[in-house]
């Protein structure tokens, strides 16, 4: 990375441009400053068409307006976060902001101003960098450093919403009157401007509502989730093809291989990839991915591509690294597969959300009793939750813009709710025998198996969005063999 510059004495009415302490240039001559103001082509983009999700976002804003009449609603995208010293993490806009705008620009804020007929939406964003004061080349966030951004006029055309300079927003909000709600946790400056106008309880109501609004996916969202899943399938194929290289290095080769697919076909991975080989498969969120990959062990790969519109897949397969399950590995894997089959069969409109979890847990409890690992009957095991020593987690969750989507929804709407067409959820039972678990035979220890698919609730049942990835043990072996030819 390189050092930015700074003018020696900025005009009084301008914000000083921050100087890196050990920059090599002490300042900017008047001649250079004047030279940099001119000689630049007009790059304004004209005849832009609205982005694909613009009409969907408009409908969502209208629904939000109807829910909170007469109230000012403030939804920030968020700000860059420092990774170390003067470098930042890659920016990921807040889910609420993306859902309501289709935009992903840092420092932006959506404001719904109440009117007598509903609300007037305005997007507050940073305009193009100023070429008169040198911001575009002297500021570390100027366009010559981090790239061109859309002008406010361009943004209006793309997003279908009037746009204003976000640098004016904080002062405007300080002067605002009437009830206000803000989505918290994304923009400290905006929250500070509203500190005497909002309450935690009212703001939480807004966050909960926006979470529940995402429970039912529209056709655009379903299409994006299918796109994410399709890329994820290709990412899993990529991994199988390089397992020999992973054996020569570590789990990080698997992580890097999948990440390449995610970056080429999407925005990023939707969450930290779990590339857990051998006993690491018994750690639910193993994201260190620094362990060995050994022939004869299992690889639990839990990963998902996030599309450019930020919808993510979430798929898990447990694969024999050498391409063949051992007898015990197959027995455990087949039990989890049977439990997943029962769980998927329970996903249908009108069913209780909990039904797919209960169905999968029933199968796993029966298997644990059958294997002599816990005293039966299975009903007793389930009543006391004894199976959880080895099943550990719930059998699924909502999926969408967040990998654990709709997480702020009320319990009665989510886990105690009823399945409806348009919901997308994961079904992911697992069995995990810890390496130090003395209650199971030694040969079980260090084996972890999870199978996870992304399931759309349809009018007459369900559709497995990730069905292109084999699940049955013999099909997994055949699939792996075919990819390694």
């Amino acid at each position: 990375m390189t050092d930015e510059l700074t003018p020696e004495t900025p005009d009084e009415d301008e914000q000083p441009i921050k100087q890196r302490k050990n920059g090599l240039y002490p300042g900017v001559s008047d001649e250079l400053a004047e030279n940099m103001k001119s000689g630049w082509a007009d790059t304004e983009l004209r005849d832009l068409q609205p982005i694909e999700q613009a009409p969907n976002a408009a409908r969502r804003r209208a629904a939000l307006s109807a829910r909170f009449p007469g109230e000012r609603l403030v939804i920030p995208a968020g700000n860059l976060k420092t990774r170390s010293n003067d470098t930042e993490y890659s920016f990921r806009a807040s889910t609420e902001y993306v859902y309501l705008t289709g935009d992903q620009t840092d420092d932006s804020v959506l404001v719904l101003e109440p009117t007598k007929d509903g609300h007037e939406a305005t997007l507050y964003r940073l305009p193009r960098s100023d070429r008169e004061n040198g911001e575009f080349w002297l500021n570390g966030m100027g366009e010559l450093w981090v790239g061109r951004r859309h002008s406010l006029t361009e943004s209006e055309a793309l997003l279908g919403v009037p746009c204003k300079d976000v640098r004016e927003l904080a002062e405007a909000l300080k002067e605002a009157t009437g009830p206000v709600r803000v989505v918290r946790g994304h923009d400290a400056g905006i929250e500070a401007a509203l500190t005497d106008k909002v309450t935690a309880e009212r703001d939480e109501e807004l966050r909960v509502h926006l979470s529940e609004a995402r429970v039912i996916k529209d056709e655009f969202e379903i299409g994006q989730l299918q796109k994410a899943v399709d890329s994820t399938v290709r990412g899993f194929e990529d991994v199988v093809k390089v397992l020999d290289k992973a054996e020569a290095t570590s789990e990080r080769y698997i992580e890097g291989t999948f990440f390449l697919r995610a970056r080429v076909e999407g925005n990023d991975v939707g969450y930290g990839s779990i590339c857990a080989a051998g006993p690491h498969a018994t750690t639910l969120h193993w994201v260190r991915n620094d362990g060995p990959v050994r022939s004869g062990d299992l690889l639990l790969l839990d990963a998902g591509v996030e599309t450019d519109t930020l919808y993510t897949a979430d798929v898990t397969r447990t694969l024999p690294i050498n391409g063949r399950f051992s007898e015990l590995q197959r027995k455990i894997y087949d039990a989890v597969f049977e439990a997943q089959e029962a769980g998927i069969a329970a996903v249908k409109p009108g069913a209780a959300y909990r039904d797919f979890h209960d169905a999968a847990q029933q199968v796993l409890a029966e298997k644990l009793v059958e294997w002599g690992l816990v005293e039966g009957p299975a009903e007793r095991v389930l009543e006391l939750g004894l199976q959880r020593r080895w099943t550990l987690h719930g059998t699924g969750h909502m999926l969408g813009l967040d990998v654990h989507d709709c997480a702020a929804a009320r319990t009665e709407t989510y886990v105690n709710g009823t399945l409806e067409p348009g919901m997308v959820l994961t079904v992911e039972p697992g069995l995990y025998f810890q390496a130090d678990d003395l209650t199971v035979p030694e040969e079980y220890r260090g084996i972890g198996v999870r199978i996870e698919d992304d399931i759309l609730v349809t009018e007459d049942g369900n559709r497995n969005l990730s069905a292109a990835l084999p699940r049955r043990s013999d099909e997994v072996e055949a699939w792996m063999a075919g990819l390694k030819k």
Side-chain angles (χ1 to χ4, degrees):
M1 296 183 68
T2 49
D3 291 336
E4 68 259 30
L5 310 175
T6 184
E8 292 178 339
T9 54
D11 295 339
E12 290 183 2
D13 61 346
E14 296 172 353
Q15 291 294 317
I17 296 171
K18 186 178 180 181
Q19 165 79 339
R20 182 177 274 122
K21 181 178 180 182
N22 289 305
L24 293 175
Y25 290 99
V28 175
S29 68
D30 292 340
E31 290 78 6
L32 176 58
E34 192 63 30
N35 175 274
M36 291 296 288
K37 291 180 181 179
S38 61
W40 305 101
D42 177 10
T43 61
E44 183 75 8
L45 302 176
R46 298 172 175 85
D47 300 321
L48 293 173
Q49 298 301 310
I51 61 174
E52 186 179 359
Q53 60 265 53
N56 302 63
R59 286 193 292 271
R60 296 164 189 164
R61 292 193 298 272
L64 180 63
S65 171
R67 171 62 180 80
F68 296 101
E71 302 186 51
R72 181 176 287 103
L73 308 175
V74 182
I75 301 94
N79 316 123
L80 292 172
K81 290 183 171 57
T82 299
R83 181 180 185 273
S84 176
N85 189 25
D86 56 357
T87 61
E88 291 83 25
Y89 288 104
S90 296
F91 179 71
R92 204 281 194 184
S94 74
T95 290
E96 295 86 355
Y97 177 83
V98 174
Y99 182 73
L100 293 168
T101 67
D103 181 44
Q104 301 178 33
T105 310
D106 57 286
D107 295 330
S108 299
V109 184
L110 170 66
V111 178
L112 298 183
E113 294 281 352
T115 66
K116 64 178 182 179
D117 299 319
H119 285 82
E120 180 179 289
T122 304
L123 276 181
Y124 289 83
R125 300 162 52 92
L126 282 174
R128 295 285 308 279
S129 291
D130 192 332
R131 303 230 167 182
E132 281 298 309
N133 69 2
E135 171 195 29
F136 79 106
W137 71 289
L138 294 170
N139 190 301
M141 290 293 126
E143 291 185 4
L144 290 194
W145 291 90
V146 299
R148 184 189 189 278
R149 55 182 175 254
H150 286 299
S151 70
L152 297 182
T153 301
E154 291 169 352
S155 298
E156 289 181 355
L158 290 167
L159 302 172
V161 185
C163 295
K164 294 182 179 179
D165 191 334
V166 71
R167 291 172 294 190
E168 303 168 359
L169 179 58
E171 285 303 315
L173 290 176
K174 288 179 183 178
E175 303 300 320
T177 58
V180 184
R181 297 178 192 255
V182 63
V183 176
R184 299 191 181 197
H186 301 297
D187 193 319
I190 294 300
E191 289 181 36
L194 293 170
T195 186
D196 61 340
K197 306 176 191 301
V198 295
T199 67
E201 181 180 6
R202 288 164 51 79
D203 292 347
E204 181 63 10
E205 287 177 354
L206 174 60
R207 188 174 79 102
V208 168
H209 173 77
L210 287 172
S211 193
E212 294 183 358
R214 301 198 307 276
V215 166
I216 305 295
K217 270 58 182 179
D218 59 36
E219 288 303 312
F220 172 81
E221 293 179 292
I222 293 169
Q224 288 300 301
L225 286 167
Q226 185 66 70
K227 182 179 179 180
V229 168
D230 292 345
S231 290
T232 299
V233 169
R234 290 187 283 273
F236 274 67
E237 293 172 347
D238 295 339
V239 167
V240 171
K241 292 175 182 178
V242 301
L243 282 177
D244 57 335
K245 294 182 174 63
E247 287 188 59
T249 52
S250 75
E251 295 163 338
R252 291 198 173 172
Y253 203 97
I254 296 167
E255 178 183 1
T257 298
F258 187 85
F259 179 69
L260 176 61
R261 178 67 64 174
R263 285 294 280 166
V264 168
E265 296 193 1
N267 176 62
D268 205 329
V269 290
Y271 53 95
S273 299
I274 299 168
C275 308
H280 289 161
T282 66
T283 300
L284 297 185
H285 289 165
W286 176 260
V287 293
R288 299 180 204 171
N289 298 335
D290 58 0
V293 179
R294 299 189 179 99
S295 178
D297 283 346
L298 297 176
L299 166 68
L300 190 157
L301 177 58
D302 184 337
V305 172
E306 177 186 76
T307 65
D308 290 328
T309 58
L310 305 189
Y311 288 85
T312 186
D314 181 8
V315 178
T316 306
R317 289 294 183 269
T318 304
L319 310 172
I321 292 167
N322 63 10
R324 300 288 295 181
F325 290 100
S326 71
E327 183 179 350
L328 179 60
Q329 289 169 350
R330 188 184 304 275
K331 181 176 83 166
I332 296 171
Y333 183 95
D334 288 349
V336 174
F337 172 73
E338 186 178 331
Q340 194 200 28
E341 285 281 86
I344 293 174
V347 175
K348 53 191 174 184
Y353 176 87
R354 292 178 177 272
D355 284 354
F356 75 94
H357 169 72
D358 293 341
Q361 292 291 299
Q362 177 73 36
V363 172
L364 295 178
E366 290 171 355
K367 295 296 182 181
L368 292 168
V369 171
E370 177 186 325
W371 298 340
L373 302 183
V374 64
E375 182 182 347
E379 289 67 28
R380 168 186 172 272
V381 173
L382 291 167
E383 181 182 356
L384 299 176
L386 300 179
Q387 83 286 358
R388 293 179 60 186
R389 181 183 180 100
W390 303 286
T391 65
L392 296 176
H393 55 80
T395 309
H397 52 79
M398 294 287 187
L399 186 67
L401 279 169
D402 287 329
V403 65
H404 295 143
D405 207 26
C406 313
R410 292 167 297 172
T411 301
E412 58 265 33
T413 303
Y414 195 154
V415 297
N416 289 340
T418 301
L419 295 181
E420 300 179 48
M423 292 182 175
V424 179
L425 52 97
T426 67
V427 178
E428 51 175 314
L431 282 173
Y432 313 91
F433 299 103
Q434 305 301 319
D436 59 350
D437 188 350
L438 302 181
T439 70
V440 300
E442 185 175 359
E443 61 267 26
Y444 282 73
R445 299 172 197 165
I447 295 179
V449 173
R450 178 164 67 251
I451 312 171
E452 176 181 21
D453 285 270
D454 301 341
I455 310 297
L456 166 68
V457 183
T458 62
E459 293 289 344
D460 57 358
N462 68 68
R463 173 157 59 92
N464 185 347
L465 301 180
S466 45
L469 271 182
R471 292 185 295 128
R472 216 173 60 198
S473 57
D474 59 337
E475 293 175 344
V476 169
E477 291 175 333
W479 169 71
M480 294 181 69
L483 290 172
K484 291 182 176 182
K485 287 182 180 177

